[in-house]
Amino acid sequence: MTAPSLTRRHVLDLDDFSAGEILHILDTADAMKEVLAREVPRVPALRGRTVVTAFYEASTRTRVSFELAARALSADCVNLNVALSSTTKGESLLNTVRTLRALGADVIVMRHSQAGAPYLVARYLNICMINAGDGAHAHPTQALLDLYTMRERLGRVERLKVAIIGDIRHSRVARSNLWGLAALGAQVALCGPATLLPRGPELELLPTVALTTHLEEALEGAEVVMPLRLQLERQQSGLLPSLREYRELYQIDGARLARAHPRALVLHPGPMNEGVEISTEVAHGAQSAIESQVTNGVAVRMALLYLYGHGEVSDVRAP
Amino acid sequence: MSAPPEGRGLLIRGGRLCDPARGRDEVADLYLSDGKIALESAPAGTPVLEVGGLLISPGFIDLHVHLREPGFEDKETIATGTQAAARGGFTTVCCMPNTEPPTDSRAAVEFILRRAATHGAIRVLPIGCITKGRRGHELAEMGELAAAGVVGFSDDGSPVADSRLMRQAMEYSRAFGLPVIDHCQDPALSQGGVVNEGAVSSRLGLVGMPAAAEEVMVARDIALAELTGACLHLAHLSAASSVEHLRRAKALGLPVTAEVTPHHLALTEGRVMGVLGPLPHKLGPLPASAYDTNAKVNPPLRTERDRQALLAALRAGLIDAIATDHAPHTLVDKECEFDDAAFGISGLETAAGVLLTLVDKGELELTTVIAALTAGPARLLGRPDLGALRAGAAADLVLIDPRAEWAVEPAQFASKGHNTPLAGARLRGKVLATIYGGHIAYLDPALEMKGAPLA
Amino acid sequence: MAEKVIMTAAEMGRALSRLAHEVVERNGGAAGLVFLGMRTRGVPLAQRLAARIKDFEGVDIPVGALDIGLYRDDLSNLGVQPKVQRTDIPQDLFGKDIVLVDDVLYTGRSIRAAMDAIIDFGRPRTIQLLVLVDRGHRELPIRADYVGKNIPTSLQEEVQVRLEEVDGQDEAVLMRGEVKAP
């Protein structure tokens, strides 16, 4: 196994993480989970460090998860209220981040509606950048918490059969999971309506997966079943005839889950459209790990902040 | 070398004259007198420029540039844009009408011509709008624009989505004998797109523009050209599938012409990911330079297969002209999130280097490139006086060292737009001097006046 | 790098036996004791001590594992973060007599971190410190209650304790030649 390289500055996607580094993160998250189980879940590891959450796209869940992670490590956590900040006065992303850094931020946790925005910041500014989701591109912390939950519940990720179902084409969660699952040796099947699936040639630069529009095929023997959130606007933009038809063809309900492996685990990146991509009985059923994903998310984000949120900061402009 | 003394002319001696319009490619001397290419031999006492080993071509003609003035003078002006053109070896540029206000009136055309006369380093030929305000609703006053001096009509940047309106534009334009130039892209199919649709767009999570968006518009426009008999010029073709429609149109003898840009001939979509050269079969981690907004251009850089098809079409004479689609932008327009970044490449000053590098690599013949920069666009413009080294014609020419290696340094550009994906790239083939109307429009410091006056 | 054995396996065994007796003697028995081994090598040491006390007192002393990675005060100087593992506290520490077990006592900073960690888990009656080797050079006002062996060292030296459970053999060595700031 490759020795983990922990000298990285940024967590942009999982495409540049080795299996060793991912496992190291998951092991560290184990220790963090113990901290979270304490009566007072707080350790001084990041005392004096400042973590700024800059969410250019609303996501209370992910933001709160990061804030809890930062606080559990005793970091100062500041939320840049993008709606009220200078971004609405037309300040560029780079200038906003420059200002935050000048104000003492050590780590920027950024969510952005545009793919690649964290790469822009990472290219120009020498500050630890953790990508909390960029457009349809990547969501590495979600993928890590999915991997953590799979390992915790099923004991391994290697050789797991994982079915990801739904709007793959627009999904940053699916993309980052592909890299992480590939690194750890899982087998992935992607399934959804053809309008929401990448075409075959579009997967050339991504890890190898099976692609199908037939749910039964994807579920056959699957040990992890991950329905993705169906954005309701996909129907409005004509990619789906109706939510009803989507439900009929792709909803994970009890009967369909029964076609998967008997101990199959159900994950969902949230927030769920219960009754659309997942039935209520499955969402809250015995095989669902959706609630523990939330706790695991905090532990994984603590691990990332602990491992990467330290380095000294100086201004280096990329060539 | 200072400007040649008026009246005494200049003898350019020992260069390789490449003049596809007249089928010439030979070592010969060229005598310039009174701003024209002289017929007679040079008299004694004429200053001599020894250019052994250099290439002499008619001044290049660019059918497609954005000079940005009026309205976007922070991006470019007629002065800086034409200086950039001169550095690139161009003596004639056709400027697109997407200015503010757009070139949809006599006053707007006259403004450009006046500014070009007073501030321009070379010849500027304006292109007028197809529709009023480039809004795609009503025809612009094409007759008035033609009378004012436009050389074609285009809503470049905004394809004419309404097929009926396009038909009418083409029918109406016939009266003036000027081409309708379309930016071929189905707006619904390419909606929201910022890169080519395919492996790269999927890898980066960016919205893609399928090649089919261009193809369907090319097919529609060709059908309309057949219906109306109007001259159609297809701007900046980028997709292999478009070439097949062009081939069919030419085989039918339709008045359809096409251009291609140096960047579509040289680069592919991998540039957007920061990958230089062909894409590896499986890409590992994204390079730090991924999401390079300087490679964001419309139409987008496409695949190696598309690039090869464009090269083949150019070699086969299907594509009539190489045009830069010079689209200068400010740093702020480009140093931002990918979706927000402006489309376009500042291309005038790298075009010759990029194309001659393709010649050096054996991907194109020198005469093909020179023809597509001179005779091809001149024919398209109906200007036999341009793009050829004809005795008595205006002395528009360019001196090139095809072997000189140089590195692209955007900071040194004459253009205000430093937006190029080629920053730092090493190119082979350099413009050393551009002569426009007998006057030196650009002179590389490396070129020196050598040789004694003619004895 | 020159290496000198400062404690053989046999000496280590005798030292641990003596330390086990000292702990019981000092605390008037084994009731209310909790051993917390500091990861990595403090944990097997604590287990061995508990086993010895079980032999002669017949009492099971709970043994826990403490990872102080998240309590260190030198994190930002390290560049690369030390691996943290789970802390495993066997029971409520309130009112208990904690014996903190580590292999080498040096600057005292790890012990300071360990005490912070313990106090996060509750308020013990006492915290005592047991180390196999004390090499001196303290930077904080900390001393050990039980010491296997005092080894005077220079700052250029390093003490390494090797244990069967972790390293395959029992011994303590003194290494020279590497200049290391404390």
Side-chain angles (χ1 to χ4, degrees), chain B residues 190-245:
Chain B
S190 58
Q191 189 185 24
V194 289
V195 292
N196 181 43
E197 181 178 305
V200 169
S201 66
S202 175
R203 176 75 171 78
L204 294 176
L206 294 170
V207 180
M209 299 187 246
E214 178 174 294
E215 185 192 352
V216 298
M217 270 316 222
V218 167
R220 181 202 72 171
D221 286 353
I222 288 172
L224 293 177
E226 193 169 3
L227 176 68
T228 62
C231 292
L232 169 69
H233 179 65
L234 304 167
H236 42 52
L237 286 190
S238 67
S241 47
S242 303
V243 171
E244 293 314 307
H245 292 274

Side-chain angles (χ1 to χ4, degrees), chain A residues 13 15-16 56 92-94 98 112-117 119-120 123-124 134-137 169 175 179 198-199 201-208 317, chain B residues 197-206 210 273 279-293 331 334-341:
Chain A
D13 194 0
D15 60 352
D16 60 343
Y56 287 81
S92 76
L93 176 59
L94 283 180
R98 281 187 187 109
H112 204 292
S113 58
Q114 292 195 31
Y119 288 74
L120 172 74
R123 184 154 67 239
Y124 286 102
D134 64 323
H137 173 243
R169 181 176 283 226
R175 276 183 181 74
W179 290 109
R199 290 176 294 118
E202 293 178 65
L203 291 168
E204 271 170 26
L205 299 172
L206 289 163
T208 309
R317 202 178 158 91
Chain B
E197 181 178 305
V200 169
S201 66
S202 175
R203 176 75 171 78
L204 294 176
L206 294 170
M273 289 193 301
L279 286 176
H281 179 59
K282 278 281 175 192
L283 182 74
L286 283 182
S289 49
Y291 297 97
D292 183 359
T293 56
L331 195 61
K334 284 288 194 180
E335 209 173 70
C336 60
E337 294 91 317
F338 200 90
D339 290 349
D340 287 347

Side-chain angles (χ1 to χ4, degrees), chain A residues 31 49 81 85 112 164-165 170 193 201 203 223 233 261 265 298:
Chain A
R49 296 274 151 177
N81 195 331
S85 77
H112 204 292
I164 307 178
I165 294 135
H170 303 95
L203 291 168
E223 294 158 276
E233 57 264 30
H261 192 281
L265 193 66
V298 180

Side-chain angles (χ1 to χ4, degrees), chain A residues 82-94:
Chain A
V82 172
L84 299 177
S85 77
S86 48
T87 55
T88 48
K89 297 174 198 153
E91 185 176 54
S92 76
L93 176 59
L94 283 180

Side-chain angles (χ1 to χ4, degrees), chain C residues 122-133:
Chain C
R123 185 179 182 282
R125 200 176 75 85
T126 61
I127 300 178
Q128 303 162 30
L129 175 62
L130 183 153
V131 295
L132 190 61
V133 174

